[in-house]
Amino acid sequence: MKNVLVIYYSQSGQLESIARNIAMPLLNSSVVNVLFHEIELVKPFPFPWNNDAFFGAFPESFLQIPTLLKPVPENIMNTKFDLILLHYQVWYLTPSVPVNSFLKSPEAKILLNNTPVVTINGSRNMWIMAQEKVKVLLKQNNALLKGNIALVDRVGNLISVITIVEWMFSGVKKRYLGIFPLPGVSEKDINESSKFGEVILSCLQENNLDTLQEKLLDIDAVRVSSYLVTVDKTANKIFTKWSNFIVNKGESRKSWLKVFKVYLLLAIWLISPIVYILHVLLYPFKIKKIKKEIEYYKGIK
């Protein structure tokens, strides 16, 4: 009997749906025991979000400052797992505060120690640098990263900004104004994600998780956009300066967060299109470097 732990944090329910669909083949197997753990905060973030909470979460999110979590149940802590499926969202180009807090907890150090892990993210589109940060945290916990799955909103970058923000602030997943596409990871991709679970189950039964990522890539588990990699890296440099500047501003923090909000909107609607144009123009001259980057980010090293 193989023991598998499914870890997730979900506000809207999207990531829980992804987690349960991927786990479905494992749940249907007579040789796998699956346990679920939903990360819970002592002081939960609101959903739907309000303006102050959404932008107020920026400095701590990006700087990966943990918050208090409710304890992991004893039955989970007392089980030795053969595999952990770690699901996370991306907040401000970084693993969400709840997931980051879990990965920095004493419980994670015990559960992840010398344990194979598959990371699974459900995000708007920019997940590359967040995954690099997750890799660091997994290494600190002596975890063994064996696979990665990235499920993203497949619509255009600027359109997804509009639809995701509407969803986060209304709490309702709908076609904004009746004309925009549904926000988030598509229902088709979520429903079909059980195919990843089938591959995970096969490798687990064969005791051969070292070939898992290669097999996941064969069924489209990861797509990498070289343009979004460029935006992600650039934005991380800028966010580093903003977050360090705002985090200790005390009484003036709210005022500076308003300034950051204006900057962020300008960056999304003015700077990112310019970055895209430059990326297209320079692509022929950087094609070898770009291909190398794409292969790296598709992998798990």
Side-chain angles (χ1 to χ4, degrees), residues 22-212:
I22 290 177
M24 196 178 299
L26 302 169
L27 287 165
N28 292 334
S29 171
S30 60
V31 296
V32 180
N33 174 44
V34 182
L35 294 179
F36 288 82
H37 173 59
E38 180 179 7
I39 298 169
E40 294 185 85
L41 282 68
V42 171
K43 185 179 179 182
F45 288 98
F47 188 80
W49 289 84
N50 58 59
N51 190 74
D52 287 346
F54 186 82
F55 290 99
F58 161 64
E60 285 74 18
S61 293
F62 187 77
L63 294 174
Q64 295 182 262
I65 298 172
T67 191
L68 292 175
L69 303 178
K70 293 184 179 180
V72 178
E74 284 188 21
N75 67 311
I76 290 177
M77 293 305 303
N78 293 332
T79 302
K80 175 57 183 174
F81 291 98
D82 299 284
L83 179 65
I84 292 177
L85 306 183
L86 176 68
H87 301 72
Y88 72 95
Q89 310 93 338
V90 178
W91 290 7
Y92 292 105
L93 312 179
T94 306
S96 69
V97 171
V99 172
N100 171 67
S101 300
F102 170 77
L103 289 173
K104 291 186 175 182
S105 70
E107 290 94 335
K109 193 166 286 293
I110 295 169
L111 289 168
L112 294 170
N113 182 45
N114 201 34
T115 303
V117 175
V118 176
T119 50
I120 300 151
N121 77 76
S123 58
R124 186 174 73 86
N125 56 17
M126 283 189 283
W127 57 270
I128 293 290
M129 291 299 106
Q131 177 68 4
E132 292 301 293
K133 295 169 189 178
V134 168
K135 285 182 186 177
V136 171
L137 293 170
L138 290 175
K139 189 173 182 180
Q140 290 173 356
N141 285 309
N142 197 33
L144 309 172
L145 182 59
K146 296 297 183 179
N148 179 49
I149 299 165
L151 293 170
V152 301
D153 189 335
R154 296 188 188 273
V155 304
N157 186 39
L158 297 181
I159 291 175
S160 69
V161 170
I162 296 170
T163 58
I164 292 290
V165 169
E166 167 62 21
W167 183 20
M168 293 301 98
F169 280 80
S170 71
V172 181
K173 189 172 184 177
K174 61 182 180 180
R175 293 182 181 275
Y176 181 50
L177 300 178
I179 57 173
F180 283 89
L182 283 171
V185 180
S186 73
E187 288 302 312
K188 180 176 183 292
D189 283 348
I190 293 174
N191 292 334
E192 291 179 356
S193 64
S194 60
K195 66 183 180 181
F196 303 125
E198 291 170 2
V199 171
I200 292 169
L201 175 61
S202 175
C203 288
L204 189 62
Q205 289 176 317
E206 294 168 3
N207 294 311
N208 189 14
L209 291 170
D210 289 338
T211 62
L212 176 58

